[in-house]
Amino acid sequence: MTLSKIGTPALVANAVDNTILDLADNFAFTGNVTGAGGQVHLITHTVSDAVAQVIFNETYINSTYDNYLLIAKWFVSADSSKLDFQFRQQDGTAINDSNYIRNIASSTYGANFSTTPVDSAELSQNLGVGGGNRERGGYGNWYLSMGNTQDFEPTLNGTFVYGGTSNSTHQLQGGMRYLGSTAITGGFKLFNHNGSNFTTGSTFSLYGLAT
C-alpha cells in the first residue's frame, strides 16, 4: 500500500537513504527549507498607502544570515528625493552618528565620487514625481554584509537605475560602509533624504543568502 503521508514520529533521523530519495523529482515545499544554500525570501514590504520609511528589523536581520540581498522598486511623492539607508541596533535604535561613507561610480557624471561621513548613506540621485525630465521612481538591488559581531563593519554594494532626460537611463554602481561599528547591527531603515514618502506600488524585498 502506498502511503500519502508519513508522520514525523515514525521516522528516525537517517530513515531515508540518500540513494533512495531522488531530488530530481518535483517537490512542493510549504515550509522553510534550510541547509540547502542559496537565496531565501524573508519578506517583501509592499506600499499600499504612502509611508515615510520602510524598516527591516531584527526579525529578519539576525544571526541566521550574515549576508542579504535587497531588491527595491520605489516611487516618491516629491521632486528632489534621494533614497537614504541607515543601520539599526538590535534594540531598534537608529545608528545615526557620522560614520557612513560611500563610493559610487556614476554613468551620469562618468566618474567616481565619494561622500564624507554622514549620519546615513544616500543610495540614489534625485528622483521626481514624474513628468518633465525626471523619472518618478527608481530600481535597485544591493548586497548587504551585516555580520553579527560588534567589531564587524557592515557594508552595502549594488546598483541603482533610474530614468533621466531625453529618455536616457542612468545608473549608480558602488557601495557604502559604516566605519568603526560599536553596536551589533539588528536591521536597517530606508527613507527619502528630503522627507518625501514612498508611494503606492513601491516594493522592497529582502532575501537571506545561505551558505
Side-chain angles (χ1 to χ4, degrees):
M1 181 180 69
T2 301
L3 297 177
S4 61
K5 184 176 182 180
I6 302 175
T8 302
L11 296 173
V12 295
N14 60 351
V16 179
D17 188 274
N18 61 2
T19 62
I20 296 175
L21 183 60
D22 184 0
L23 293 179
D25 289 340
N26 295 321
F27 296 89
F29 296 101
T30 58
N32 293 324
V33 179
T34 60
Q39 180 176 298
V40 180
H41 177 249
L42 300 178
I43 187 174
T44 294
H45 287 297
T46 300
V47 177
S48 56
D49 293 307
V51 295
Q53 60 188 24
V54 172
I55 293 175
F56 294 89
N57 60 25
E58 68 280 358
T59 300
Y60 309 103
I61 306 298
N62 51 49
S63 60
T64 302
Y65 304 101
D66 278 336
N67 302 302
Y68 299 83
L69 171 64
L70 173 64
I71 299 176
K73 174 187 73 175
W74 71 100
F75 307 106
V76 295
S77 63
D79 287 335
S80 301
S81 297
K82 293 182 180 181
L83 182 68
D84 270 32
F85 179 98
Q86 188 178 78
F87 288 114
R88 294 162 61 87
Q89 297 180 24
Q90 287 186 325
D91 64 2
T93 303
I95 300 177
N96 58 0
D97 50 37
S98 297
N99 280 314
Y100 292 88
I101 188 167
R102 68 171 182 166
N103 185 274
I104 300 291
S106 170
S107 66
T108 306
Y109 300 113
N112 292 343
F113 62 93
S114 299
T115 58
T116 55
V118 292
D119 62 0
S120 60
E122 291 179 0
L123 301 184
S124 79
Q125 291 177 318
N126 283 332
L127 298 175
V129 296
N133 60 11
R134 288 188 175 178
E135 178 60 59
R136 61 184 290 259
Y139 303 86
N141 58 84
W142 296 275
Y143 289 96
L144 295 86
S145 295
M146 305 291 276
N148 294 288
T149 59
Q150 289 185 310
D151 59 356
F152 184 89
E153 292 185 347
T155 61
L156 175 149
N157 67 85
T159 302
F160 157 71
V161 178
Y162 71 106
T165 59
S166 302
N167 297 318
S168 60
T169 299
H170 303 296
Q171 72 175 26
L172 298 178
Q173 187 163 358
M176 53 76 64
R177 67 185 179 120
Y178 176 77
L179 306 175
S181 179
T182 58
I184 299 176
T185 306
F188 60 89
K189 178 176 74 172
L190 299 167
F191 59 101
N192 288 304
H193 186 76
N194 66 341
S196 70
N197 290 328
F198 299 119
T199 57
T200 301
S202 301
T203 59
F204 302 88
S205 298
L206 185 67
Y207 299 82
L209 301 181
T211 56

